[in-house]
Amino acid sequence: MNYTLDPELVPLLAARTEQAAGVAARERGDWRSIREAGNLGQAAMAALVPPVTGIKTATYFATAPDGARIELRWYTTGETTAPGPAVLYAHGGGMILGDLDAYDTLLSWYVAHSRVPFLSVGYRLAPEASGTMLAEDVFAGLTWLTDHAHELAVDTGRIAVMGDSGGGAPAAATAILARDRHTPLARQILVYPMLDDRNQSPDPTREPFLTWTYDDNYTAWKAVLGDTFDTADVSPIAAPARLSDFTGLAPAYIDTGDLDIFRDEDIAYAARLAAAGVPVELHVHPGVPHGWDRLAPQSGAARRAFADRIRTLAAL
């Protein structure tokens, strides 16, 4: 199989390759180095988001099952007084990096264009937190949003959970917990989500295009799962692709790139949802790697993806 990179992204990846040429390769398992580099990368991507104005923010806190305080950041246009939809968001970063600040510009952009308020969850990261704790933090955000729906003018029947990349795992797991704990959830919106810890066999044909590598994936999942990594004991609340029963989950929107190592697990997850009778909208964008929309937000592929997401959000 011969893959071809989207022509609009060729200069971008060439520049990344040139920059990486003088940097020592990260050791497999070195989550600290990935976190340091990734946080810098997320700050750089945030600067590429077209600026918006008029978004109001507020800070709240939820309580996790173990008593930890989880920071929540609410984004709204401030225009709505009647109960309407809302989105609970889990940021990306392989579950080992990232924070609320790095997503301020992106979530403000989503809110400005969809007119749907967002609640971003500052879930704890691995390895400081592990296993199902990350999803429980995000679910605590959903519980808080449901409990405070009246004061925030939110219709509890129109709440969606959304996550990108590493945030896709706790977002998808929150959809599972919502089903199992009988908490209403209107939709799950998963942007190139990281769902399957067993995705550890490199595809050499895609290797030249990867922005999140198989070594990165090993390092991140090992940090999340610890001693349960590569065993049968992994909970689907930590790695949602481990789920066996998909019936009754919230309708799903999933998008991914054809040059993303998550492509196959995302397609498989969508197929298993569909087989269980869950409505699914799936997009596989040709010629683009993981995070292409953040790296090249003005590219045609990014504009198409953002348009589909805004359409999905506006329909809540």
Side-chain angles (χ1 to χ4, degrees):
M1 171 67 71
N2 293 319
Y3 291 102
T4 302
L5 185 65
D6 184 316
E8 288 189 272
L9 274 66
V10 169
L12 175 68
L13 260 66
R16 285 172 60 91
T17 301
E18 184 177 347
Q19 292 169 0
V23 179
R26 291 191 294 265
E27 292 186 16
R28 186 173 163 93
D30 184 2
W31 59 267
R32 290 180 180 86
S33 291
I34 296 179
R35 178 178 290 178
E36 181 179 357
N39 284 337
L40 291 173
Q42 286 200 349
M45 289 189 295
L48 300 176
V49 178
V52 296
T53 59
I55 302 302
K56 304 177 186 301
T57 63
T59 298
Y60 302 102
F61 291 90
T63 303
D66 63 357
R69 293 179 86 218
I70 307 302
E71 185 177 355
L72 309 172
R73 191 168 297 172
W74 177 246
Y75 300 80
T76 178
T77 61
E79 298 171 348
T80 304
T81 55
V87 174
L88 184 77
Y89 201 93
H91 67 76
M95 295 179 278
I96 59 174
L97 64 93
D99 58 24
L100 297 179
D101 292 344
Y103 274 68
D104 264 339
T105 53
L106 178 64
L107 298 196
S108 294
W109 188 92
Y110 276 133
V111 172
H113 287 79
S114 69
R115 318 312 287 179
V116 176
F118 273 54
L119 185 69
S120 188
V121 184
Y123 62 91
R124 289 169 289 177
L125 301 174
E128 292 89 348
S130 61
T132 62
M133 293 173 66
L134 288 75
E136 290 287 2
D137 286 357
V138 177
F139 186 80
L142 177 61
T143 301
W144 185 94
L145 181 56
T146 301
D147 290 346
H148 293 81
H150 178 73
E151 62 197 75
L152 296 174
V154 171
D155 180 344
T156 57
R158 298 171 67 187
I159 295 174
V161 64
M162 182 174 182
D164 71 286
S165 189
T174 293
I176 298 169
L177 291 172
R179 176 197 66 181
D180 295 347
R181 296 174 183 176
H182 309 291
T183 300
L185 191 67
R187 200 164 184 85
Q188 52 182 318
I189 302 169
L190 308 176
V191 175
Y192 35 77
M194 177 180 174
L195 301 170
D196 196 344
D197 61 294
R198 298 163 297 186
N199 182 6
Q200 300 296 334
S201 299
D203 176 359
T205 59
R206 276 184 287 177
E207 200 80 36
F209 309 107
L210 300 183
T211 55
W212 178 260
T213 70
Y214 288 93
D215 282 348
D216 293 338
N217 210 40
Y218 169 88
T219 300
W221 277 116
K222 180 66 175 171
V224 172
L225 300 176
D227 292 341
T228 65
F229 179 76
D230 200 29
T231 73
D233 298 328
V234 176
S235 167
I237 306 305
R242 297 282 192 140
L243 187 66
S244 57
D245 180 9
F246 284 72
T247 57
L249 291 176
Y253 171 98
I254 300 174
D255 70 30
T256 189
D258 197 34
L259 304 180
D260 192 328
I261 72 167
F262 300 146
R263 180 198 65 186
D264 294 351
E265 65 191 70
D266 293 346
I267 293 172
Y269 201 78
R272 295 174 73 190
L273 285 164
V278 177
V280 177
E281 179 176 341
L282 171 67
H283 297 263
V284 180
H285 294 272
V288 297
H290 187 71
W292 86 94
D293 55 326
R294 305 293 309 284
L295 295 167
Q298 300 303 323
S299 67
R303 290 197 300 270
R304 289 190 292 274
F306 281 125
D308 283 328
R309 295 171 202 162
I310 293 298
R311 171 181 52 78
T312 301
L313 291 167
L316 286 172

